[in-house]
Amino acid sequence: MKKLKLPIFLMLTLGLLPGCQPANIAPLEERVAQLEGRVATLEAGAKTEINVAVQATPSTASTPSAESTVTPTPAVTETPSAVSTDSLWKTLNYTDLPSAERLKEIASFGFLPKGGITNQEQFIGEITRGQYVALLVEMNNAVFQDGEDIRLAQPGDAQAFDDVPSSHPYYKYIQGMVDAGYVIGFNEKSFQPDKVLTREEMVAIAAKRDFTLDPESEKYLWDNYTPFVDKEEIAPKYRLAISKDNGESISNLQQAFGALKKFQPKKPVKGYEAVLSLYRVGNHGDYHYDRLVEEKMK
């Protein structure tokens, strides 16, 4: 350690300058020595405090301050998004279902979710009357976009059935069919949109859209084009439509269920059966349909 150098004025005061020494200098020298020792002690203590502070305080380079601390971003676990409704048809399982390739083609139009079919369980499960009308209208409008599309009803439009108010999810389809002159209600004032769809109801609704139903031909069609062993179980109000449909080369009944000996008119319709019935909705030509399918399945 360097020897303490006292200021000149202090040395003069103490009489320490050469030639200015007082007679009793010994006590002063002793006092100076005490001061120098005191200064050395203070300097040593200061160095110790500085070293401790340096060790205890991390550098700002290694430890960020509270203000600059960046919270680590956790690794993002990628969650697969829900299947797009437009691509639902790609995920459905057609194995063991009749006319699997045709089912896939029709489903490729992407409208199944609008008729309440959003997964495999609904695809092979029963559907309601309201759902079927929604599916039929959507397929119709996908195929006929110019001139033969069915206008969807809007809130405030007429209400043909007491049980299908504008608040019902399938109102726009059911009322739209009524306005176009195609729908067959459960009776004059009720459609029962939430009732499970039966075979006879489905064929009657589809045939009303596809064919001209002439009451004068009902007996002839019934006698010659309704070969089912259980034909008498068909409700009278549906007989003309079913007879007409089954006698046509493009038959909704046969597309959905195949050539039957026993029709089982009261049997509930499965979702995929309803989809199959839509193959030639509106009695459109194969060329037009094939062109649209090719575009959809690219």
Side-chain angles (χ1 to χ4, degrees):
M1 178 182 131
K2 293 182 180 181
K3 187 173 180 180
L4 177 66
K5 295 183 180 294
L6 297 176
I8 292 177
F9 77 90
L10 183 57
M11 294 177 69
L12 289 170
T13 303
L14 297 174
L16 297 179
L17 292 175
C20 300
Q21 296 180 352
N24 190 11
I25 198 171
L28 291 175
E29 291 179 336
E30 181 179 357
R31 178 60 178 161
V32 169
Q34 289 176 352
L35 290 174
E36 289 177 340
R38 177 63 177 163
V39 170
T41 301
L42 291 174
E43 288 182 347
K47 288 182 178 180
T48 301
E49 290 176 0
I50 291 172
N51 289 336
V52 171
V54 170
Q55 294 175 3
T57 304
S59 67
T60 56
S62 60
T63 304
S65 65
E67 293 180 355
S68 63
T69 300
V70 178
T71 305
T73 302
V76 177
T77 302
E78 196 166 325
T79 303
S81 60
V83 177
S84 167
T85 55
D86 289 339
S87 62
L88 171 70
W89 64 275
K90 296 180 181 179
T91 70
L92 294 174
N93 183 6
Y94 306 94
T95 305
D96 299 328
L97 296 180
S99 305
E101 189 57 34
R102 181 167 293 174
L103 268 177
K104 190 174 183 179
E105 289 175 358
I106 299 170
S108 73
F109 282 82
F111 60 83
L112 298 191
K114 294 182 179 179
I117 298 177
T118 60
N119 54 49
Q120 185 70 24
E121 183 179 3
Q122 293 168 341
F123 188 54
I124 63 175
E126 299 170 354
I127 68 168
T128 67
R129 289 167 54 87
Q131 283 181 276
Y132 182 65
V133 171
L135 293 171
L136 189 157
V137 172
E138 285 290 341
M139 182 60 176
N140 180 91
N141 289 357
V143 176
F144 299 109
Q145 297 178 349
D146 299 312
E148 291 190 64
D149 55 319
I150 297 172
R151 175 186 174 273
L152 303 185
Q154 304 298 316
D157 286 356
Q159 180 180 334
F161 300 112
D162 294 340
D163 54 358
V164 189
S166 60
S167 58
H168 194 280
Y170 297 124
Y171 163 80
K172 61 183 179 181
Y173 298 110
I174 297 170
Q175 188 62 45
M177 284 277 283
V178 171
D179 295 340
Y182 295 138
V183 80
I184 294 179
F186 196 77
N187 57 45
E188 290 185 1
K189 287 295 184 179
S190 172
F191 186 78
Q192 298 196 14
D194 303 318
K195 176 185 176 295
V196 172
L197 180 71
T198 64
R199 288 184 169 189
E200 64 180 1
E201 293 167 354
M202 185 195 80
V203 175
I205 293 171
K208 181 71 171 179
R209 166 64 187 93
D210 291 344
F211 311 115
T212 299
L213 303 179
D214 180 10
E216 296 296 325
S217 63
E218 181 174 352
K219 184 178 186 311
Y220 173 80
L221 293 171
W222 179 253
D223 293 339
N224 295 279
Y225 293 100
T226 318
F228 312 119
V229 296
D230 56 350
K231 61 186 292 185
E232 295 301 328
E233 296 178 16
I234 299 172
K237 64 180 177 179
Y238 300 135
R239 291 180 178 180
L240 171 58
I242 291 171
S243 298
K244 175 66 174 178
D245 183 284
N246 195 54
E248 294 291 324
S249 58
I250 304 170
S251 167
N252 297 289
L253 188 155
Q254 293 180 31
Q255 287 173 175
F257 311 116
L260 301 175
K261 292 184 177 180
K262 188 174 184 179
F263 179 42
Q264 298 179 278
K266 310 300 189 219
K267 185 176 180 179
V269 175
K270 305 291 186 181
Y272 68 87
E273 293 172 332
V275 172
L276 281 174
S277 76
L278 304 176
Y279 168 56
R280 295 282 293 275
V281 63
N283 202 15
H284 58 74
D286 282 337
Y287 173 77
H288 180 59
Y289 171 81
D290 291 343
R291 180 175 58 81
L292 291 173
V293 167
E294 184 178 357
E295 293 175 359
K296 299 292 184 181
M297 298 188 73
K298 283 182 179 178

